[in-house]
Amino acid sequence: MSSYDPRTGAALEAPPESTPDEVDDTVAAAVAAAEELAAASPGQRAGWLTAIADALSANIGILAEKADEETALGLPRLTGECGRAADTIRFYASVVREGGWLGATIDHGSPDLRRVNVSLGPVAVFGAGNFPFGFGVLGHDTATALAAGCPVVAKAHPAHPRLSVALAELAERALDEAAAPAGSLGLVGGFAAGSRLVGHPGIRAVAFTGSQRGGLALWRQAAERDDVIPVFAEMGTVNTAVVTPAAAGSFDENGFVASFTLGMGQFCTKPGLLLAPAGAGIPQRVAAALTDKSPQGWLLTEQIATTYREGVRGLEKVGGRVLTRTAAASGGWEAQPVVLAVTPAELRESPTLLDEVFGPVALVAEYANRAELDEVLEILPGSLATAVHAAEDDPDLPGLVERLSRTSGRVVVNGWPTGVAVGWAQQHGGPWPATTSPAHTSVGAAALQRFLRPVTFQNAPDAALPPPLRAANPWRIPRRVDGDGER
Amino acid sequence: MSSYDPRTGAALEAPPESTPDEVDDTVAAAVAAAEELAAASPGQRAGWLTAIADALSANIGILAEKADEETALGLPRLTGECGRAADTIRFYASVVREGGWLGATIDHGSPDLRRVNVSLGPVAVFGAGNFPFGFGVLGHDTATALAAGCPVVAKAHPAHPRLSVALAELAERALDEAAAPAGSLGLVGGFAAGSRLVGHPGIRAVAFTGSQRGGLALWRQAAERDDVIPVFAEMGTVNTAVVTPAAAGSFDENGFVASFTLGMGQFCTKPGLLLAPAGAGIPQRVAAALTDKSPQGWLLTEQIATTYREGVRGLEKVGGRVLTRTAAASGGWEAQPVVLAVTPAELRESPTLLDEVFGPVALVAEYANRAELDEVLEILPGSLATAVHAAEDDPDLPGLVERLSRTSGRVVVNGWPTGVAVGWAQQHGGPWPATTSPAHTSVGAAALQRFLRPVTFQNAPDAALPPPLRAANPWRIPRRVDGDGER
């Protein structure tokens, strides 16, 4: 593999790519671990997750430094992200313990039917470049796959291969000390290794976070297998924020600039399009706020930096007019933050304006009236998140929230979508092409469901049932019995 | 379209195929109904479903006769199936009322997150030939889509187009009288119409029950759309039944014959492969039972009859030895029931022996010991259901139930998979290639989930939230609040 310092473009020493035999051995170890992991009780799985979380917590400083060398995202951000990743894994441990994810359901009668979610088997995890901890080797996908009783084979991310190796080693040690099955977590590196992984008969599902191009390529590859497996790809698109006429005066342009430039705009939840009522000077206010703020930083890889420059040029070519373009950092994978003005008519006529450009760029369009706003909302692609900025008791709010919910997985009121809180009620997913399925989430308690499938046992005696379905309910999990909650 | 009497092969008068404009108009009506259906309360939706169920119940006799003309499945079977279809719709009405399918989840805090399942939009339903009521125009797929708040455009099945039209007219009238939105249910007919439906931008999901060839063709077509939509195809494969050594003496060969010849073997849950311990004479007992029983009947279509004959010839060509072949009915789409002997070694060497042959044929293989049985279990394709016949306190049972659960969606103990009870705990689905996703079911309460997707609302005021997430819980549905059940 290759590794670079984004601040200078200098090459760092990088771990080697995995050979085909190494990939096969890693998958074989995962396959060998699958049965024991799938049979492990919620308490055991929670213990293993907690061991990983504790290892992360104990090494935040050294891991953040290692991540900063390869990502240039800065120590404050990376220290925070690593700590949050540990807390997130602890949250999933609590979700596993609760047991609702098993969906245990019992219908007494003739026949006696008992349904429970079982583990899919080894999961290939392709993490994201922009969240080396949150969506990295030990991020949401890995944690929820392990929580669901599935071994993980992660692919080292080309933007942070050294960190990927460090995280895998840390977790493998923690899992080993916590007596998890050998092979519960493995790592492979290199493009060819990733492709071999997705085609490997031992892999039963793929989780991906990243670009449209990457996600769709894996999705297509998996669809050509003899035994097709699900690919849960979170790819993201342009996320839209709407300002209502009543909120125009108090609209916080600094908040918008902070959101679309956060992490140098490398967020799949970046608000890339602002729809503002005409006449309140919002484009000019945003332009001034960007000038004042002038965030500087680097993009993760040379390819992202190149794609960003080309993407902004592409937006300009189809009508985007530069309102402000601020100075770049010097050297390395630098990028100039920019905000562009477009019109609703241009958005409708040039669909490429609605293609996501990864990096610190946003479009601002002014709408004359609700009809013109609705015309733009009609052509929005499916997205992870949308936002609406409204006044108190704003008459436009309920209708806009409903309208935005039709094309996105999350609707934020009077805030920005860039923060994704972890909890029971979170949804991080959205209609095609934001993700490959309309219904999955990669963040929150429901994220475990990706790696489970239901099985129903008909007239099986107690001794032949898995623990969640036995009469004594040995795991003390919530169950639906004869249509109702169990007392 | 064309319609035939399977008993004679004589053509019946058939409804015309839909023109492209008619397909577009039907989808447009569904799109127009979508918003009102999605916003309807559980009580309203349950009322509409009950209206359809009552219309079915009131017309069982005439509908069963109509179905028999085109399917030759016989009045007793069709009368029972129509009544069960009405009961099934009433069950889904009770599921809708209960509200758990909404998955309403509230996390108080900063931010305030509230997650709920919303309707996907218009669903295209491709029913099955073999269950003109259970999986027809008013079968499980239509009922659960409507329950989930999605308008349905059904495609008339080529094996029973006249019945399809009668069912759609009956339901449209019932929905209209119950004040459901116009366009909640529509029907199109003809191959080209079905293809146009799957490619139509207004259609948001496809439900299919039928052959591998048909299901995979729709799945591939949907994957080539600009906006890919999910295809929930229930296709079925060979379902395996295992007899343990301890159960060999008391094994009920008549039950096996009755199951694989039920409905002339036209069940996606037909036990197509019996694995029996060597030395108990089970192949001979099965052969004798088939001879005694000698069921006669017709297949649904000329194509199924042709495919059946070719399929049996194919099994013979790769090693299947005829144990018994009984007489066919005379005339029309007749078929000869047959049971073939194979060896475990032949099953491993000729994977085509494991291809499903739709119709009254089954394979019986004798295994010498557990190792040889396990070798066969290792190569089984994903299937909808498996069965194991065991003695009381049979030491082989728990391990076999676990093993069979790895490749199938339902494991039946001491019974046959052909009956699919409708309830909260049912699972009618299974790993690829039995269905197109490992996790969906097309029967039971969870079948609604196919047509829903989650949306999270962040910091939305009460007035901007959908009813299931409002503070007052106006629909009185079960909710998870701050990680726990709401009191």
Side-chain angles (χ1 to χ4, degrees):
Chain A
M1 287 182 275
S2 312
S3 177
Y4 298 94
D5 175 355
R7 291 182 174 89
T8 62
L12 306 169
E13 197 184 334
E17 301 198 352
S18 305
T19 65
D21 280 353
E22 284 167 346
V23 174
D24 293 350
D25 290 349
T26 308
V27 176
V31 169
E35 194 173 339
E36 190 179 339
L37 259 181
S41 70
Q44 285 175 295
R45 292 191 208 167
W48 298 332
L49 288 169
T50 305
I52 297 175
D54 291 348
L56 270 182
S57 292
N59 292 280
I60 290 178
I62 196 168
L63 290 169
E65 272 180 38
K66 212 175 236 309
D68 192 44
E69 288 170 8
E70 289 180 301
T71 65
L73 290 170
L75 283 178
R77 142 79 193 267
L78 291 164
T79 305
E81 189 189 328
C82 186
R84 272 196 308 279
D87 289 344
T88 294
I89 297 173
R90 289 189 190 98
F91 169 73
Y92 291 124
S94 76
V95 171
V96 176
R97 273 209 190 81
E98 193 265 347
W101 55 274
L102 286 156
T105 307
I106 297 175
D107 291 347
H108 293 106
S110 180
D112 178 288
L113 294 176
R114 294 167 188 247
R115 187 179 201 257
V116 71
N117 291 325
V118 301
S119 311
L120 273 189
V123 174
V125 169
F126 291 74
N130 55 342
F131 280 91
F133 297 109
F135 288 94
V137 170
L138 301 182
H140 289 277
D141 291 332
T142 294
T144 51
L146 290 173
C150 300
V152 168
V153 181
K155 177 179 167 287
H157 197 280
H160 36 73
R162 294 150 57 99
L163 177 70
S164 298
V165 169
L167 289 170
E169 286 175 357
L170 182 93
E172 283 175 54
R173 209 156 46 234
L175 287 169
D176 188 49
E177 282 168 18
S184 296
L185 181 72
L187 184 77
V188 300
F191 183 85
S195 177
R196 191 171 182 89
L197 204 53
V198 174
H200 200 293
I203 295 295
R204 306 316 309 157
V206 176
F208 170 90
T209 313
S211 67
Q212 288 280 332
R213 209 184 47 169
L216 292 181
L218 298 187
W219 175 75
R220 282 193 198 99
Q221 191 193 338
E224 280 160 17
R225 287 171 57 121
D226 284 343
D227 58 335
V228 176
I229 57 174
V231 174
F232 300 102
E234 187 273 84
M235 303 172 290
T237 55
V238 161
N239 304 290
T240 299
V242 177
V243 184
T244 68
S250 62
F251 175 70
D252 173 21
E253 55 271 17
N254 288 301
F256 175 58
V257 168
S259 182
F260 89 75
T261 61
L262 189 64
M264 286 306 276
Q266 298 170 108
F267 271 60
C268 51
T269 50
K270 179 191 81 173
L273 172 64
L274 184 70
L275 300 173
I282 286 182
Q284 294 70 35
R285 285 155 59 187
V286 169
L290 178 61
T291 307
D292 290 351
K293 200 180 151 78
S294 192
Q296 295 199 335
W298 296 267
L299 298 181
L300 289 158
T301 67
E302 186 166 23
Q303 193 196 320
I304 291 175
T306 306
T307 306
Y308 175 70
R309 279 194 303 273
E310 287 169 2
V312 173
R313 264 203 299 273
L315 295 174
E316 290 183 65
K317 209 151 67 182
V318 289
R321 291 166 298 285
V322 174
L323 285 165
T324 302
R325 173 180 274 134
T326 67
S330 58
W333 321 137
E334 64 193 9
Q336 289 185 282
V338 59
V339 62
L340 302 162
V342 292
T343 65
E346 286 164 347
L347 287 169
R348 291 204 314 278
E349 283 152 24
S350 302
T352 53
L353 283 169
L354 290 169
D355 288 348
E356 185 191 22
V357 177
F358 198 66
V361 56
L363 304 178
V364 182
E366 288 185 300
Y367 61 87
N369 48 44
R370 180 59 191 262
E372 195 172 54
L373 173 60
D374 284 342
E375 282 172 5
V376 176
L377 299 184
E378 199 57 46
I379 57 163
L380 292 183
S383 68
L384 296 171
T386 46
V388 52
H389 288 260
E392 196 147 345
D393 297 322
D394 197 320
D396 287 325
L397 185 62
L400 277 173
V401 165
E402 193 280 328
R403 185 66 190 75
L404 292 170
S405 76
R406 292 189 214 167
T407 55
S408 61
R410 181 166 52 111
V411 184
V412 179
V413 176
N414 288 334
W416 300 103
T418 22
V420 182
V422 179
W424 291 89
Q426 188 54 283
Q427 170 63 17
H428 188 62
W432 188 277
T435 69
T436 43
S437 85
H440 80 262
T441 179
S442 56
V443 174
L448 274 72
Q449 296 301 321
R450 294 175 293 172
F451 309 121
L452 299 166
R453 69 177 177 89
V455 176
T456 290
F457 299 87
Q458 180 171 329
N459 289 339
D462 209 59
L465 287 167
L469 296 180
R470 289 186 194 152
N473 192 3
W475 291 351
R476 311 239 167 274
I477 53 157
R479 309 196 289 193
R480 182 188 288 273
V481 177
D482 299 329
D484 214 342
E486 191 171 32
R487 307 282 153 204
Chain B
M1 290 183 275
S2 311
S3 177
Y4 298 93
D5 175 354
R7 290 181 174 91
T8 62
L12 306 170
E13 197 184 336
E17 301 199 352
S18 306
T19 65
D21 280 353
E22 284 167 345
V23 175
D24 293 351
D25 289 350
T26 308
V27 176
V31 169
E35 195 174 337
E36 190 179 341
L37 258 182
S41 70
Q44 284 176 294
R45 292 190 207 167
W48 298 332
L49 288 170
T50 306
I52 297 176
D54 290 347
L56 271 181
S57 292
N59 292 280
I60 291 179
I62 195 168
L63 290 169
E65 272 179 38
K66 213 175 234 313
D68 192 45
E69 288 169 8
E70 289 180 300
T71 66
L73 289 169
L75 282 178
R77 145 78 192 270
L78 290 165
T79 304
E81 188 189 329
C82 186
R84 273 198 307 279
D87 289 345
T88 294
I89 297 172
R90 289 188 190 98
F91 170 72
Y92 291 126
S94 76
V95 171
V96 176
R97 273 209 189 81
E98 193 265 350
W101 55 274
L102 285 156
T105 307
I106 297 175
D107 290 348
H108 294 105
S110 180
D112 178 286
L113 294 176
R114 293 168 189 246
R115 187 180 202 259
V116 71
N117 291 326
V118 300
S119 311
L120 273 189
V123 173
V125 169
F126 291 74
N130 55 342
F131 281 92
F133 298 108
F135 289 94
V137 169
L138 300 182
H140 289 278
D141 292 331
T142 294
T144 52
L146 291 172
C150 300
V152 167
V153 180
K155 179 182 165 286
H157 197 283
H160 37 72
R162 293 150 57 100
L163 177 70
S164 297
V165 169
L167 289 169
E169 284 176 357
L170 182 92
E172 282 174 57
R173 210 158 40 235
L175 287 169
D176 189 48
E177 282 168 16
S184 296
L185 180 72
L187 183 77
V188 300
F191 184 85
S195 177
R196 189 169 183 90
L197 204 53
V198 174
H200 199 294
I203 293 295
R204 307 316 309 157
V206 176
F208 170 90
T209 312
S211 68
Q212 289 280 332
R213 209 183 49 166
L216 292 180
L218 297 188
W219 176 75
R220 283 194 197 97
Q221 191 194 340
E224 280 161 18
R225 286 171 58 120
D226 285 342
D227 58 334
V228 176
I229 56 172
V231 174
F232 300 102
E234 187 272 86
M235 303 173 288
T237 55
V238 161
N239 305 290
T240 300
V242 178
V243 184
T244 68
S250 62
F251 174 71
D252 173 21
E253 56 270 18
N254 288 304
F256 174 59
V257 168
S259 182
F260 88 76
T261 60
L262 191 62
M264 286 307 275
Q266 299 171 107
F267 272 59
C268 53
T269 50
K270 179 191 80 172
L273 173 64
L274 183 71
L275 300 172
I282 287 183
Q284 293 71 34
R285 286 155 59 188
V286 169
L290 178 61
T291 306
D292 290 349
K293 200 180 151 72
S294 193
Q296 295 196 337
W298 297 267
L299 299 180
L300 289 158
T301 65
E302 185 166 24
Q303 193 194 319
I304 292 175
T306 306
T307 306
Y308 174 72
R309 278 194 303 272
E310 287 169 2
V312 173
R313 265 203 299 272
L315 295 173
E316 290 182 68
K317 206 149 72 182
V318 291
R321 289 166 299 287
V322 174
L323 284 165
T324 300
R325 174 181 274 133
T326 66
S330 60
W333 321 137
E334 64 193 11
Q336 289 184 281
V338 59
V339 63
L340 303 162
V342 293
T343 66
E346 286 164 345
L347 287 169
R348 291 204 314 279
E349 283 152 25
S350 302
T352 52
L353 283 170
L354 290 169
D355 288 347
E356 185 192 20
V357 176
F358 198 69
V361 56
L363 304 178
V364 182
E366 288 185 301
Y367 61 87
N369 49 44
R370 180 60 190 259
E372 196 172 53
L373 173 62
D374 285 342
E375 283 172 4
V376 176
L377 299 184
E378 199 57 47
I379 56 161
L380 292 183
S383 68
L384 296 171
T386 46
V388 53
H389 288 258
E392 197 147 344
D393 298 322
D394 196 319
D396 287 324
L397 184 63
L400 277 173
V401 166
E402 193 281 326
R403 185 66 191 76
L404 292 171
S405 76
R406 293 189 214 168
T407 55
S408 61
R410 180 166 54 111
V411 184
V412 179
V413 176
N414 288 337
W416 300 103
T418 21
V420 182
V422 179
W424 291 89
Q426 188 54 282
Q427 170 64 18
H428 188 62
W432 189 277
T435 69
T436 44
S437 86
H440 80 260
T441 180
S442 56
V443 175
L448 274 70
Q449 297 300 318
R450 295 174 292 172
F451 310 120
L452 299 166
R453 69 179 178 88
V455 175
T456 289
F457 299 86
Q458 180 170 329
N459 289 338
D462 209 59
L465 287 168
L469 297 179
R470 289 188 194 151
N473 192 2
W475 291 351
R476 312 239 168 275
I477 53 157
R479 310 196 290 193
R480 183 188 288 273
V481 177
D482 298 330
D484 213 343
E486 190 171 33
R487 307 281 154 205

